[in-house]
Amino acid sequence: MTLKFDEVVRAGIAKQVAENIKSAIMDGRLKIDERLPTEEDLARSFGISRPTVREALKRLAAQNLIHSRRGPLGGNFVKRPDPEGLSKAITAAATLLVGIGAFDIDEIITARLETETICCRLACHNHCEADLEAMATEIEIQRDETISDEDFCASDVRFHRALVDSTCNGPLKLMMYTVIESFIPITNMIVFRVRERRKVAGFHRQIMDAVTKRDTDSATKALTDLLAYVRNSYATAMDARDKMKASPQT
């Protein structure tokens, strides 16, 4: 086996250069949409070769920190953050943690109650007609007894996503992405056999009606009742599973 020491060294330097540029982006010395110096200028500035600069730029592109444009006015530019992309990365980690039991049901329900209560309050003040239409559409889907469990669960997620969207608050939507996209599907996987769809759809209707009337108290009460029902359904599902495990195998 031939060891390529020069490639190892170059990779180490490229990582340091990428971290240096990343720091400049994170602390605002390089602004969104600002063009980076050319590869030649960067190589001269850091005292490194152009191949090493390219490796550093590849690292930054892989982290969605920069993007390239072709043409006379092209080059490498600082990329505008993608909230959905960032949220998906966080959600993937949260889903894994929930899946391995790092959070128990009480923690999940409490997190949902506290955060979605804020969403209900803001939704009552900030919603538009399109938000209400999105929620109403999902409720109609949930009332269709012919849809599969998977489709019902997907509609459940979309309803709460519409509720969060109606807050018209970007940072909150970013934070809630994890709650909606990881916590709800995980609990749905466990409680879908014991919960009654019509009850869930009914709670959703109460939330939507309260948001429509801009009634924050009724909206948060309906949310509280919904999550209490989810908690009880979870307990019923766990009890049934424990009894099945304890029963003699035939």
Side-chain angles (χ1 to χ4, degrees):
M1 176 180 179
T2 302
L3 297 177
K4 298 182 179 180
F5 179 72
D6 59 330
E7 291 187 6
V8 174
V9 172
R10 189 173 70 191
I13 295 174
K15 181 179 180 180
Q16 293 177 50
V17 172
E19 288 297 323
N20 188 295
I21 297 174
K22 178 181 178 179
S23 295
I25 294 172
M26 300 302 289
D27 64 23
R29 283 177 287 143
L30 285 171
K31 308 295 185 183
I32 291 174
D33 295 328
E34 182 175 346
R35 181 178 178 176
L36 271 63
T38 65
E39 290 183 3
E40 184 178 355
D41 289 339
L42 286 171
R44 187 182 307 112
S45 176
F46 286 106
I48 58 179
S49 67
R50 289 184 66 175
T52 304
V53 169
R54 292 192 193 102
E55 178 63 30
L57 295 175
K58 285 180 182 179
R59 288 173 177 267
L60 293 168
Q63 298 175 57
N64 287 318
L65 293 172
I66 66 170
H67 65 101
S68 61
R69 298 178 193 164
R70 297 183 180 277
L73 300 178
N76 292 291
F77 295 81
V78 177
K79 188 173 183 180
R80 184 174 296 276
D82 173 17
E84 184 172 337
L86 294 172
S87 298
K88 285 181 177 179
I90 297 171
T91 299
T95 301
L96 175 62
L97 289 171
V98 173
I100 63 175
F103 308 133
D104 62 32
I105 188 62
D106 287 330
E107 290 179 300
I108 292 174
I109 294 295
T110 298
R112 284 193 61 186
L113 179 60
E114 295 298 326
T115 54
E116 287 198 75
T117 294
I118 297 173
C119 293
C120 284
R121 187 172 68 248
L122 290 178
C124 286
H125 291 291
N126 300 332
H127 73 266
C128 65
E129 194 62 32
D131 297 318
L132 299 177
E133 290 175 0
M135 285 187 262
T137 296
E138 298 309 326
I139 292 171
E140 286 304 309
I141 291 173
Q142 292 160 22
R143 286 177 169 172
D144 181 356
E145 297 182 357
T146 66
I147 65 172
S148 67
D149 291 321
E150 291 79 5
D151 288 340
F152 184 91
C153 291
S155 177
D156 187 5
V157 170
R158 290 194 300 269
F159 174 86
H160 288 275
R161 190 186 301 149
L163 175 65
V164 172
D165 286 344
S166 66
T167 66
C168 299
N169 185 292
L172 184 60
K173 287 194 282 186
L174 174 62
M175 292 185 289
M176 289 301 297
Y177 198 95
T178 297
V179 176
I180 301 303
E181 303 294 336
S182 61
F183 290 174
I184 294 179
I186 289 294
T187 51
N188 277 344
M189 287 173 58
I190 298 170
V191 306
F192 79 94
R193 292 186 182 280
V194 298
R195 72 176 176 189
E196 294 183 41
R197 292 181 179 182
R198 61 182 180 83
K199 284 191 175 182
V200 174
F203 288 127
H204 287 168
R205 181 74 201 192
Q206 291 175 32
I207 293 172
M208 189 195 76
D209 287 346
V211 169
T212 302
K213 297 174 184 176
R214 303 187 188 278
D215 184 346
T216 56
D217 289 340
S218 294
T220 54
K221 182 182 184 305
L223 174 69
T224 300
D225 291 344
L226 167 63
L227 293 178
Y229 179 71
V230 172
R231 189 194 300 271
N232 291 336
S233 298
Y234 185 94
T236 300
M238 291 297 96
D239 184 58
R241 188 178 72 173
D242 291 342
K243 288 181 178 178
M244 183 176 295
K245 288 182 177 179
S247 63
Q249 299 297 316
T250 56

